[in-house]
């Protein structure tokens, strides 16, 4: 059932007035809280595309625009008057805000409300001011990058990265082409990049297969390199090394091949037919339907299992050491290690197969397996260690 709600004319007018009052209070709230641009965006949204523009929104836009312009021009003038080079970025931000604000309002002009109120907007010739502040902001960033590169030339790698970031700001915010910015960025990239040489050394008394080192070293630079870090797996002519990371293998243990045999019994009670219930005369009892009464007959069965358990283990441990390549000073050391375990079960049985447990059934029929060669287990250990080494290389805080 559809219910129609009818409003009387006075009530309808009151609702409309309430909505209008709410809208006005919203714009007024923006302005009174100092969010002039919020008030401007609100009023522009209410006025854009409307043929009959409400006076409240026209006046609200006019007031908020006047206050926003006066505030930002005053801030920009004060910052410029302070004569501090680092202020020009803020000055340019103010000029761009003024420019964007004027561009937002300009399409609405001339702005006249349906009641005939004509708003007045004083636009500032901001293009020249913005161009001047943009040039000075770019010059400040350029000079700052030059100073940072001088520090980088003296060995401050982090200063080079700051210079690169500063020049990126210049490029993104002000000028894509500015003086010799591109060459300076190349210099900053070169001076700010850390080159790390990774090596594996066998300090144990065991001979390792050649494939072991190949597996460890086959991590791929794409897994390790980042924006400012480049890893190398062998020295490269013309590239100075900043850090050496050495994985020193200290101990390799390979256990004997062991076969442990044991014999055990699986037992189970199962139903084997039925036993009939007899009365005192030896006759089979009947139920109310005339059927023979019987009970399950259980028997205990058993199976004797002969199990062979094969084991062999390879344990490898070492230390990952980080050195300052220039001073040959150790900066960090982390213990790393892993274990490869070979296990195999084989079993036979005699007796009743129905007595076998699920665990026994999984082993029955398995034959003894050949033990893996020592070399294969060590290569597996290399593969197991590789993610731990990769994580240490990428996250080590001693490498800047």
């Amino acid at each position: 059932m559809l219910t129609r709600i009818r409003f009387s004319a006075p009530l309808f007018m009151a609702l409309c007035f309430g909505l209008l009052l709410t809208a006005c209070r919203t714009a007024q709230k923006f302005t009174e809280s100092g969010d002039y641009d919020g008030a401007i965006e609100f009023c522009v949204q209410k006025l854009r595309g409307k043929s009959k523009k409400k006076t409240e929104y026209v006046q609200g836009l006019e007031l908020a625009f006047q206050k926003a312009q006066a505030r930002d021009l005053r801030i920009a003038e004060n910052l410029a008057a302070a004569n501090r080079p680092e202020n020009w970025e803020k000055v340019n931000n103010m000029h761009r805000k003024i420019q964007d604000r004027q561009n937002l309002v300009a399409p609405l002009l001339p702005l006249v409300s349906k009641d005939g109120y004509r708003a007045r907007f004083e636009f500032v010739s901001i293009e020249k001011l913005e161009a001047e502040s943009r040039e000075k902001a770019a010059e400040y960033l350029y000079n700052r990058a030059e100073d940072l590169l001088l520090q980088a030339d003296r060995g401050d790698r982090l200063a080079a990265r700051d210079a690169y970031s500063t020049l990126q700001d210049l490029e993104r915010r002000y000028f894509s082409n500015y003086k010799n910015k591109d060459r300076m960025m190349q210099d900053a990239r070169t001076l700010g990049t850390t080159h790390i040489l990774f090596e594996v050394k066998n300090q144990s008394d065991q001979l390792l297969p050649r494939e072991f080192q190949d597996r460890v070293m086959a991590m791929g630079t794409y897994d390790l390199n980042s924006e400012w870090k480049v890893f190398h797996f062998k020295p490269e002519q013309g590239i100075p090394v900043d850090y050496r990371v050495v994985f020193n293998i200290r101990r390799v243990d390979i256990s004997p091949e062991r076969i442990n045999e044991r014999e055990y019994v699986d037992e189970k009670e199962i139903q084997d037919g039925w036993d009939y219930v007899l009365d005192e005369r030896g006759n089979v009892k009947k139920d109310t339907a005339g059927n023979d009464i019987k009970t399950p007959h259980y028997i205990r069965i058993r199976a004797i299992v002969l199990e062979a358990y094969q084991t062999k283990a390879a344990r490898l441990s070492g230390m990952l050491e980080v050195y300052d390549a220039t001073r040959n000073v150790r900066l960090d050391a982390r213990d790393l290690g892993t274990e490869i375990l070979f296990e195999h079960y084989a079993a036979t049985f005699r007796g009743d197969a129905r007595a076998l447990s699920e665990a026994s059934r999984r082993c029955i029929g398995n034959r003894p397996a050949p033990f893996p060669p020592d070399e294969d287990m060590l290569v597996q250990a290399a593969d197991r260690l590789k993610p731990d080494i990769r994580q240490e290389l990428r996250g080590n805080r001693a490498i800047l």
Side-chain angles (χ1 to χ4, degrees):
M1 180 177 178
L2 182 63
T3 303
R4 297 183 180 273
I5 301 175
R6 299 182 180 276
F7 294 103
S8 64
L11 178 60
F12 180 76
M13 292 300 293
L15 287 172
C16 291
F17 179 76
L19 292 172
L20 178 59
L21 186 60
T22 301
C24 294
R25 284 177 177 172
T26 302
Q28 184 180 1
K29 182 178 178 181
F30 280 123
T31 303
E32 288 179 351
S33 65
D35 186 5
Y36 305 137
D37 286 304
I40 290 170
E41 291 177 6
F42 175 80
C43 292
V44 167
Q45 184 179 5
K46 294 294 184 181
L47 293 169
R48 185 184 289 133
K50 301 293 193 302
S51 58
K52 295 182 178 180
K53 296 176 171 54
K54 295 182 179 180
T55 302
E56 292 82 0
Y57 296 136
V58 173
Q59 291 177 337
L61 178 58
E62 181 184 40
L63 178 61
F65 183 87
Q66 178 185 355
K67 288 181 175 292
Q69 294 287 88
R71 178 199 60 192
D72 291 349
L73 284 169
R74 183 176 61 256
I75 292 174
E77 289 173 2
N78 291 339
L79 287 170
N83 198 27
R84 298 173 63 90
E86 63 270 22
N87 283 351
W88 285 109
E89 290 181 89
K90 297 177 182 177
V91 173
N92 186 253
N93 284 340
M94 290 294 104
H95 289 162
R96 290 188 181 189
K97 282 182 66 176
I98 293 169
Q99 191 172 49
D100 291 341
R101 186 181 301 122
Q102 293 182 165
N103 291 339
L104 181 65
V105 173
L108 296 175
L109 302 184
L111 185 58
V112 181
S113 74
K114 63 180 181 180
D115 298 327
Y117 182 83
R118 179 180 293 271
R120 296 181 58 189
F121 297 93
E122 294 185 9
F123 278 35
V124 180
S125 298
I126 199 65
E127 290 77 10
K128 183 178 179 181
L129 292 175
E130 192 279 328
E132 290 175 355
S133 62
R134 176 159 30 101
E135 177 64 39
K136 290 183 178 180
E139 183 181 11
Y140 163 71
L141 292 178
Y142 180 86
N143 292 337
R144 172 173 167 75
E146 279 189 323
D147 293 339
L148 288 168
L149 283 176
L150 288 176
Q151 298 177 42
D153 281 330
R154 294 192 289 267
D156 190 341
R157 195 175 296 115
L158 298 182
R161 298 175 189 177
D162 285 344
Y164 190 89
S165 177
T166 300
L167 292 167
Q168 279 185 315
D169 281 347
L170 192 159
E171 179 181 67
R172 182 177 62 252
R173 296 163 57 191
Y174 303 114
F175 298 101
S176 58
N177 296 309
Y178 189 83
K179 298 183 180 181
N180 61 336
K181 170 188 65 67
D182 292 341
R183 183 186 61 77
M184 290 173 64
M185 291 184 76
Q186 291 175 4
D187 292 342
R189 173 64 69 183
T190 300
L191 293 169
T193 298
T194 299
H195 293 275
I196 306 109
L197 177 64
F198 176 66
E199 304 171 287
V200 177
K201 291 185 178 180
N202 182 10
Q203 296 182 338
S204 71
D205 56 358
Q206 297 286 334
L207 183 65
L208 294 174
R210 179 178 179 82
E211 192 177 356
F212 176 90
Q213 182 162 335
D214 292 341
R215 287 292 184 92
V216 174
M217 302 287 278
M219 284 184 283
T221 56
Y222 62 91
D223 286 334
L224 297 172
N225 290 349
S226 60
E227 182 182 9
W228 293 106
K229 295 179 183 179
V230 177
F231 285 83
H232 306 271
F233 297 104
K234 60 181 180 180
E236 297 183 29
Q237 188 173 2
I239 298 180
V241 174
D242 302 298
Y243 297 92
R244 287 191 309 113
V245 181
V246 184
F247 178 49
N248 288 309
I249 301 166
R250 301 290 176 81
R251 186 169 180 176
V252 177
D253 294 319
I254 299 178
S255 71
E257 298 174 353
R258 296 188 176 93
I259 301 178
N260 297 321
E261 294 184 344
R262 68 171 180 139
E263 185 177 280
Y264 62 90
V265 176
D266 280 347
E267 290 187 295
K268 188 181 295 183
E269 192 175 71
I270 65 171
Q271 183 180 345
D272 183 33
W274 302 89
D275 288 328
Y276 288 91
V277 179
L278 305 178
D279 59 18
E280 63 274 6
R281 297 180 181 180
N283 298 319
V284 177
K285 287 185 176 182
K286 305 288 185 178
D287 59 20
T288 55
N291 300 315
D292 294 340
I293 299 175
K294 54 187 178 180
T295 58
H297 177 73
Y298 291 97
I299 61 172
R300 179 165 289 278
I301 57 175
R302 65 200 308 263
I304 301 173
V305 181
L306 178 62
E307 178 189 80
Y309 172 52
Q310 298 174 257
T311 60
K312 182 179 179 180
R315 299 176 183 86
L316 186 146
S317 60
M319 183 173 288
L320 193 74
E321 299 174 303
V322 179
Y323 291 88
D324 183 316
T326 305
R327 298 178 295 151
N328 197 31
V329 175
R330 192 173 81 167
L331 305 175
D332 190 41
R334 304 289 176 93
D335 291 320
L336 292 178
T338 190
E339 179 182 30
I340 300 297
L341 180 63
F342 167 78
E343 294 181 296
H344 182 74
Y345 290 89
T348 59
F349 80 98
R350 62 181 185 274
D352 196 322
R354 294 175 297 172
L356 294 171
S357 67
E358 287 300 320
S360 297
R361 289 179 187 276
R362 287 194 292 268
C363 299
I364 298 298
N366 291 345
R367 296 183 178 183
F371 285 95
D374 296 354
E375 294 80 4
D376 290 354
M377 297 188 76
L378 290 173
V379 170
Q380 290 181 47
D383 287 335
R384 184 80 62 82
L385 276 170
K386 197 156 49 176
D388 295 336
I389 294 175
R390 182 187 298 116
Q391 182 177 352
E392 286 293 335
L393 291 176
R394 295 185 66 179
N396 193 285
R397 295 185 178 182
I399 301 174
L400 300 177

